[in-house]
Amino acid sequence: MRAASRQNEIHIEQLNKSYAQQTSAGDLHYIIQDVNLAVKGGEFFVLLGPSGCGKSTLLSLIAGFVSKTSGQVRVGEKEVDRPGQDRAVVFQQADSSLFPWLTVRENVEFGLRMKRIPAAKRKDISNQFISLVGLAGHESKYPRELSGGMKQRVQLARVLSNDPAILLMDEPFGALDAMTRRTMQRELVRIWQDTDKTVIFVTHDIQEALLLGGRIGIMSAGPSSKITDIYEVPLAYPRDLTDPAFHALYNQIQSHFDE
Ligand SMILES: Nc1ncnc2c1ncn2[C@@H]1O[C@H](COP(=O)(O)OP(=O)(O)O)[C@@H](O)[C@H]1O
Ligand SMILES: [Mg+2]
């Protein structure tokens, strides 16, 4: 069992975000409004909502990539005001995050090199995560020689080898073919179960949310999106798609998005 850990807890209170300039008093167009959320250390939390509702915006606020308009975002005791090594982000498109002039292994080892981990140790770690994501044998290839799914797996191996306390994942498997996607979903759950990482995983796919999440936060359609409901998923991993309880939850969650 994982011990609850304070420094990978996330607390969000009365969080508002507008990209617009204020035109007159109180006249702000909020992307997300009055978001409150507490994620415990070691939790696998899914943010589920329709396209354009503000999921990436919320994740970017937790990552410290964009600044809030008002409210609070805390990781552990600390107010988030910039990106930090405690929070790693995995994006949908790996292309923008891999270095095209580095091989698979060099990409995966990049953060370890920055932390001045000795070469032998780096190699141990990169071997572990390269094989975990199923890329053993491809260590010497360059990103241009890889499919989209392989690039995504390099990105995941690189993030995991840095061993961040918090993993922020923004539709990371959205561009993968269905089979690779299922493998990655299973692997991610396994990795998460083996560590005390807190995961916040963004998706617009109900099935994916139910395969992965311990809790699922439902975001309303924007503008002024908020987390309207939180579902506990009382199903054991690996989740069984044929379980009637899975279907019941699926339908219950689907009803939020029926209009
Ligand atoms: N940098 C930005 N400047 C202005 N508007 C933005 C910016 N980023 C996102 N938005 C707007 O915020 C809303 C939510 O976007 P986003 O967080 O990407 O949603 P999601 O990830 O749920 O699809 C959209 O209307 C989008 O156009
Ligand atoms: Mg998005």
Side-chain angles (χ1 to χ4, degrees):
M1 282 278 26
R2 282 175 299 274
S5 171
R6 305 226 51 187
Q7 76 236 23
N8 54 4
E9 289 178 357
I10 298 163
H11 289 275
I12 297 174
E13 281 161 30
Q14 291 301 108
L15 181 63
N16 297 307
K17 174 63 183 173
S18 170
Y19 287 107
Q21 297 297 316
Q22 192 151 10
T23 49
S24 64
D27 183 22
L28 271 182
H29 169 83
Y30 288 116
I31 303 293
I32 58 171
Q33 189 168 18
D34 295 337
V35 169
N36 293 288
L37 179 65
V39 176
K40 290 187 285 290
E43 228 194 308
F44 199 128
F45 191 89
V46 172
L47 277 172
L48 175 70
S51 190
C53 75
K55 302 182 295 298
S56 296
T57 298
L58 180 52
L59 207 70
S60 300
L61 286 159
I62 300 168
F65 291 153
V66 301
S67 56
K68 67 199 176 197
T69 302
S70 58
Q72 278 208 359
V73 181
R74 274 180 290 122
V75 169
E77 307 287 305
K78 268 187 23 207
E79 186 72 26
V80 169
D81 56 2
R82 69 192 70 169
Q85 292 205 338
D86 54 340
R87 285 155 285 143
V89 185
V90 181
F91 299 99
Q92 176 164 1
Q93 294 298 341
D95 294 15
S96 51
S97 79
L98 296 181
F99 298 115
W101 60 89
L102 297 181
T103 64
V104 167
R105 183 184 298 285
E106 289 163 346
N107 266 289
V108 171
E109 290 188 3
F110 185 81
L112 302 171
R113 194 180 277 273
M114 300 309 284
K115 284 194 271 185
R116 298 174 188 270
I117 309 281
K121 177 94 187 287
R122 277 204 316 263
K123 192 161 183 185
D124 278 353
I125 297 172
S126 63
N127 278 343
Q128 180 193 341
F129 288 104
I130 286 170
S131 66
L132 183 73
V133 299
L135 287 177
H138 301 282
E139 292 85 350
S140 308
K141 291 190 175 156
Y142 288 88
R144 64 172 178 277
E145 301 175 273
L146 305 175
S147 70
M150 291 163 88
K151 279 187 270 204
Q152 194 62 359
R153 287 184 274 158
V154 177
Q155 190 190 183
L156 188 60
R158 180 170 69 184
V159 160
L160 290 172
S161 66
N162 289 326
D163 196 25
I166 297 172
L167 265 178
L168 304 174
M169 309 186 81
D170 195 355
E171 312 211 30
F173 308 145
L176 302 182
D177 64 89
M179 273 194 315
T180 309
R181 185 176 199 186
R182 290 305 303 279
T183 307
M184 297 293 287
Q185 288 165 338
R186 262 197 306 273
E187 287 302 317
L188 177 63
V189 167
R190 210 176 51 71
I191 292 160
W192 166 73
Q193 287 179 312
D194 284 351
T195 63
D196 60 353
K197 291 186 197 313
T198 306
V199 180
I200 299 196
F201 188 105
V202 161
T203 184
H204 63 263
D205 180 334
I206 301 174
Q207 188 187 75
E208 181 165 67
L210 280 167
L211 284 170
L212 299 177
R215 289 194 300 155
I216 300 173
I218 311 287
M219 285 182 76
S220 54
S224 308
S225 178
K226 37 176 78 58
I227 297 175
T228 56
D229 295 270
I230 294 182
Y231 282 84
E232 300 258 356
V233 185
L235 306 172
Y237 296 101
R239 300 267 161 81
D240 176 2
L241 289 169
T242 64
D243 183 348
F246 189 103
H247 279 273
L249 264 173
Y250 187 104
N251 291 334
Q252 221 179 326
I253 291 174
Q254 174 71 57
S255 70
H256 287 274
F257 304 114
D258 293 339
E259 202 65 311

